[in-house]
Amino acid sequence: DTEVTQTPKHLVMGMTNKKSLKCEQHMGHRAMYWYKQKAKKPPELMFVYSYEKLSINESVPSRFSPECPNSSLLNLHLHALQPEDSALYLCASSHPDSGEYVGELFFGEGSRLTVL
Amino acid sequence: EDKVVQSPLSLVVHEGDTVTLNCSYEVTNFRSLLWYKQEKKAPTFLFMLTSSGIEKKSGRLSSILDKKELFSILNITATQTGDSAIYLCAVEAWHFNKFYFGSGTKLNVKP
C-alpha cells in the first residue's frame, strides 16, 4: 500500500468548475511534488514544495494553483481548465534537499482528471 | 538542456527471456539515478544508484550505473508476465529536489 494518499481517485469537471486535488503523507517528508502524466508519457514536474515553501514552479499555467497548508498536506486547486489538461496527476513526497541524497520519490496512486 | 533518454521505447519478449533496458543521461549536477516500475497507476521504486560500477540487485532484477559514460542498465532475468510494465528511469540533480524522467520503456512479457 502506498503511503502517499491522493483524493479523489477520479474527477470529471467542466471547464468552468473549480475543484481541488488533495494529497497527504505521514512519512515526515518535507518535500512534496505535483506531477502531470499524460497517456504513454513520463511524469512531468509541475511544482515542488520544500519545507512548505514553493521551490519549483515549472511554468505551469495559473489555472493550476498549488497549496501546502502543512508538512503533511498538498493541494492542487483547479479552475477554468481545458480539455487538454485531462491527465493523471501524481503527488509524490521525499526528503528535502539538505545536501544529502534526496533518495526516492514516493508516489501516490494519482488522481485521474477528465475535463469536459 | 538536461535530458534522460531510455531505449528501447518498447520491447516484447517471452517468459523466461532476459532483457536489458537502457538509460542514458545528460544532467547537470547529477546526484543519483533511480529506476521505477509503473503498471496501471503510481510508479513504484526499484533502485537508486549513486556510485559507478556497484550493482544493485533485487531478486531477478539488477541495475548498474556508469558515471563516466553517463548511462545505466536495468536487467531482468527469467522474465515473467508480471514484469510487464513501463520502466522509468529518473535522474536527480543537486539542489531543489529536481528529478528528470525518461520517456520509459514499455515491456510486454508474453506467456
Side-chain angles (χ1 to χ4, degrees), chain B residues 30-109:
Chain B
F30 170 91
R31 182 151 66 178
S32 67
L33 185 145
L34 299 91
W35 284 97
Y36 285 87
K37 177 182 181 183
Q38 187 173 25
E39 295 175 85
K40 291 184 179 175
K41 290 188 178 175
T44 53
F45 174 74
L46 296 174
F47 299 111
M48 184 176 87
L49 303 154
T50 57
S51 301
S52 276
I54 298 175
E55 185 182 52
K56 292 276 182 101
K57 201 168 168 64
S58 176
R60 296 176 293 102
L61 276 66
S62 63
S63 184
I64 198 160
L65 174 66
D66 185 327
K67 289 168 75 173
K68 184 179 175 186
E69 300 297 329
L70 308 183
F71 77 91
S72 173
I73 59 172
L74 175 68
N75 279 321
I76 308 175
T77 59
T79 51
Q80 302 171 356
T81 54
D83 295 326
S84 296
I86 295 173
Y87 290 84
L88 293 166
C89 172
V91 171
E92 184 209 346
W94 284 93
H95 304 306
F96 307 120
N97 294 81
K98 195 109 180 192
F99 289 82
Y100 297 88
F101 279 85
S103 55
T105 293
K106 184 175 182 180
L107 175 64
N108 183 4
V109 181

Side-chain angles (χ1 to χ4, degrees), chain A residues 36-55:
Chain A
K36 172 182 177 180
Q37 189 175 28
K38 303 279 273 185
K40 301 181 182 180
K41 298 286 187 183
E44 294 175 40
L45 181 64
M46 299 175 73
F47 303 104
V48 181
Y49 274 84
S50 181
Y51 295 101
E52 296 87 72
K53 287 187 172 25
L54 184 65
S55 58

